[in-house]
């Protein structure tokens, strides 16, 4: 299954043209060039060879929507870091102002073919599978709002630091849009904040303020916005003090059962998504939501 | 999961049958009669057609014991509301002073035939199965003490508001009577307050004060007693702001595994109850408990 | 499997000579001698026949390491109490200053044969299996630091009281030594403090101060060091107010699924341990750790 997904992703990369190529200087050997930019257009990656810490900055304007192109680049960038022996940890953050990620790109879910929906959903799954069980230490430096799929990305990291700006919010708000968070979003949230808080969060589609998110454990730490990157770096060095091998086995022991649940139902999960999103009522909900967004911006 | 949930929903819809017929005044269309009384003797139900919110008031004096008659009426009333398209949410509360529900009626468990015990236990299961996976938004307005089965009913709702009267208490106190909460009481509590708090609660048969119950998450909110109904109505309108379909599928996704565990073992659970409750030692414990209650009242 | 382990333990007892014999006065009949010492050399046990409460004091200087000999005596002592009808509860505490237990004895894991590793690991499993599902009320009076296996013992009790000395710490710190806590250590911790806190604890190998341990629920209560035994006795009498039979069935209902997971994988868990601990890299890590300990003491 993972292989099939990789093939799909590779195909997408080939299709996506020059933006997908490597950018910046620097070879594969650590030490020579301490900072290397190895990202793509929508995901800027900078790896510090001296510390082994990479920063992945999401740059998909205006709100870092998880489009098919973005997800493809994200997975490839992450896979490169995983395979780079000089890299031990990654800080995931946003290059956009006020937003970490707005979540799944509604344009990918509206008015497209069922084939497109299936390809998109497989890419969403692949992003989560890679991030949730990454061998790297993964720290989310959440410097903006993080609804739905953005919240999923944050929850999939090992540690979450949120800028304590009261205008920011985080949560799985799918039901507010008339859609349903899939079971593995739910599992990831249960693993983070427990069953009862998840039940209430998901049914009501709650978006939490930084103070509330910290109180229920949806994020681990709040810091003033200007300190988020330095705090992430400091926390990362704590995590890197632990021998990689023992930490990786421990992480896998904790997360593998949750990953295996999706792997066992991956194709049916895609089919569920496709048939759900193809419904007239859902398409109509999405249309209304998009019009509301347009009016807000206008 | 989404598909499974949809099937469950469809089945529930098909199952209505003759028992599901409306009784009392008012047609099926909302708006015509804004308030309709559709309850039975022991469960007074009033449905506000303009809001879609029903209030189910337990009226089984003196302490709302869950007798076989009461449970039967409760399930029928709830089923009627489920099948009434004008109803979207239900507030569960008590018409008795100082008590929400005292839990299972001991008279049904003492000195009866094994057939009676089996029938009674099946009715207890049915009450929980209906309430825990109700398609309606269910809010418990807990206006009195709520031990044992009363606590189970409260935990089976979507949200719990408790009057902050320090004389009230709530919890699964079965071990204090020398009996054991069944596994699905336990599962419901673990889903509400987590494993460790449940382990301690159940082993010690703890009854919590409102402040303690709120602290461990057994209830979601404390309010002065006179504000409990208005708070329940306000919370209900928050929940009704969410599209029903998305909320219902989400609720089912969260609760179906717990429900399925009982469904898979329903008959053996009945047999366990019957053989446990038929034991001389248990019958003796219940007798002593009843005598203690009599002395207290006398 | 349990039978095989018992045979192994019995063999070890026969081998361990005079220290393993009964010491102290007192017969098997309760009442005659209200306090009886029935422990072995490394585990001093005193049973108060009037209350039914035993105190098991770990006495394996200097740091109550869980050596093969210690584990063998521990299991036999606990089994004796389980089979003694006058005993209803046990308080587990330490006779060593400043340390509850330092956890698994590294000497048993370094430079030995694979047969020895297997025998040792089976004894560790047996200790946990007996303690975690003991029919007795088990209270940990944690009067010192309690890392790794020491923390496992504490978590396996029904209730944990920790002396609030800021020099003490408790936690599963295996990853800090480059090793990995086995899945049933993890399960026991998840059952105690939930999934998220466990994930972070285990990956970072965190040792918590008393205040932190209390905050995350790793211990239930903090008391001044001089009050730890009296508090344990007071808490015990609360637990003994509950009828044994109902409490035991409840405890088994809560813990059996976790125990069954180890029983289903007991042999492969032993093989995993043996092959992991036999690795050159792990042996080297342990060697470095032992040298560090020597330098600290020197």
């Amino acid at each position: 299954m993972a292989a099939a997904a990789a093939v799909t992703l590779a195909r997408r990369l080939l299709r996506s043209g020059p933006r997908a190529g490597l950018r910046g200087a620097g070879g594969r050997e650590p030490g020579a060039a301490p900072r290397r930019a190895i990202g793509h257009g929508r995901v800027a990656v900078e790896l510090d060879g001296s510390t082994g810490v990479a920063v992945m900055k999401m740059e998909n304007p205006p709100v870092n929507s998880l489009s098919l192109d973005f997800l493809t680049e994200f997975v490839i960038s992450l896979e490169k870091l995983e395979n780079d022996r000089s890299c031990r940890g990654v800080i995931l953050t946003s290059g956009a102002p006020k937003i970490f990620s707005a979540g799944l790109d509604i344009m990918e879910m509206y008015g497209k073919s069922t084939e497109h929906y299936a390809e998109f959903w497989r890419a969403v799954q692949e992003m989560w599978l890679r991030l949730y069980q990454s061998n790297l230490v993964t720290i989310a430096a959440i410097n903006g709002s993080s609804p739905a799929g953005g919240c999923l990305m944050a929850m999939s990291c090992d540690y979450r630091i949120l800028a304590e700006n009261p205008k920011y919010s985080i949560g799985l708000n799918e039901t507010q849009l008339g859609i349903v968070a899939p079971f593995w979003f739910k599992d990831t949230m249960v693993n983070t904040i427990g069953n009862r808080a998840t039940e209430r969060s998901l049914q009501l589609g709650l978006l939490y303020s930084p103070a509330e998110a910290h109180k229920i454990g949806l994020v681990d730490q709040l810091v003033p916005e200007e300190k988020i990157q330095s705090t992430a770096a400091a926390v990362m060095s704590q995590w890197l003090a632990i021998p990689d091998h023992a930490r990786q086995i421990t992480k896998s022991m904790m997360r593998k059962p949750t990953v295996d649940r999706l792997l066992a139902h991956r194709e049916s999960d895609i089919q569920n998504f496709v048939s759900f999103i193809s419904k007239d009522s859902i398409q109509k909900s999405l249309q209304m939501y998009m019009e509301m967004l347009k009016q807000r911006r206008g």
Side-chain angles (χ1 to χ4, degrees), chain A:
Chain A
M1 292 247 207
V7 168
T8 308
L9 288 168
R11 258 193 228 131
R12 288 233 21 104
L13 182 65
L14 290 170
R15 280 211 304 269
S16 57
R19 294 192 77 182
L22 280 175
R23 93 171 172 183
R28 284 205 149 236
E29 291 310 299
R35 281 179 187 273
R36 287 176 296 142
I38 54 171
H40 300 81
R42 295 173 186 87
V43 183
V45 182
E46 205 173 62
L47 170 60
D48 184 335
S50 66
T51 60
V53 179
V55 174
M56 280 181 82
K57 196 177 278 184
M58 297 184 276
E59 293 185 342
N60 195 24
V63 293
N64 288 335
S65 285
L66 307 181
S67 65
L68 183 50
D69 281 346
F70 175 87
L71 290 165
T72 307
E73 293 183 20
F74 182 89
V75 166
I76 289 170
S77 296
L78 184 57
E79 200 179 16
K80 269 186 191 154
L81 293 175
E82 298 267 357
N83 293 329
D84 188 330
R85 294 183 62 184
S86 71
C87 181
R88 298 178 62 210
V90 59
I91 294 168
L92 180 61
T93 194
S94 165
K98 297 180 193 166
I99 192 106
F100 182 70
S101 163
L104 305 186
D105 189 341
I106 290 182
M107 297 307 296
E108 306 281 9
M109 301 190 273
Y110 179 71
K112 299 284 190 302
S113 68
T114 55
E115 288 74 21
H116 183 86
Y117 295 149
E119 187 180 4
F120 173 63
W121 198 246
R122 187 179 295 280
V124 178
Q125 291 176 332
E126 192 66 20
M127 175 274 288
W128 178 75
L129 289 168
R130 297 278 172 163
L131 188 59
Y132 196 62
Q133 59 182 345
S134 172
N135 268 324
L136 304 170
V137 174
T138 52
I139 292 178
I142 313 166
N143 51 351
S145 282
S146 199
C151 177
L152 178 73
M153 291 183 98
M155 291 192 302
S156 301
C157 291
D158 292 320
Y159 196 83
R160 283 159 286 290
I161 304 161
L162 175 59
E164 59 186 350
N165 184 332
K167 288 182 184 165
Y168 297 165
S169 65
I170 182 168
L172 295 179
N173 60 326
E174 278 79 354
T175 55
Q176 290 204 14
L177 318 185
I179 59 176
V180 177
F183 74 89
W184 40 285
F185 283 51
K186 179 263 289 174
D187 289 345
T188 307
M189 188 172 242
V190 169
N191 288 351
T192 309
I193 62 170
N195 187 82
R196 170 57 190 157
T198 298
E199 195 175 69
R200 200 171 149 251
S201 284
L202 287 188
Q203 285 206 59
L204 291 171
L206 293 175
L207 288 171
Y208 293 95
S209 71
E212 291 165 331
H214 186 243
K215 194 180 168 199
I216 64 166
L218 185 53
V219 300
D220 296 298
Q221 198 175 347
L222 300 180
V223 296
E225 189 144 12
E226 66 274 17
K227 292 198 176 167
I228 197 162
Q229 303 304 336
S230 61
T231 305
V235 169
M236 179 62 83
S237 62
Q238 265 189 298
W239 284 71
L240 293 182
I242 303 300
D244 283 337
H245 190 62
R247 186 189 53 71
Q248 287 162 351
I249 295 174
T250 301
K251 181 173 179 176
S252 172
M253 176 174 68
M254 294 298 302
R255 298 194 166 188
K256 195 171 178 301
T258 306
V259 163
D260 285 348
R261 237 170 294 156
L262 176 55
L263 291 179
H265 302 285
R266 190 168 185 177
E267 297 307 319
S268 66
D269 182 61
I270 292 173
Q271 282 165 27
N272 280 346
F273 172 76
V274 171
S275 69
F276 185 81
I277 213 72
S278 303
K279 278 180 189 164
D280 284 349
S281 59
I282 301 302
Q283 287 289 309
K284 211 167 173 177
S285 288
L286 293 175
Q287 190 184 11
M288 283 168 59
Y289 183 69
M290 286 189 296
E291 274 161 19
M292 192 197 72
L293 287 180
K294 268 186 209 162
Q295 281 173 1
R296 260 199 219 167
R297 284 176 199 149

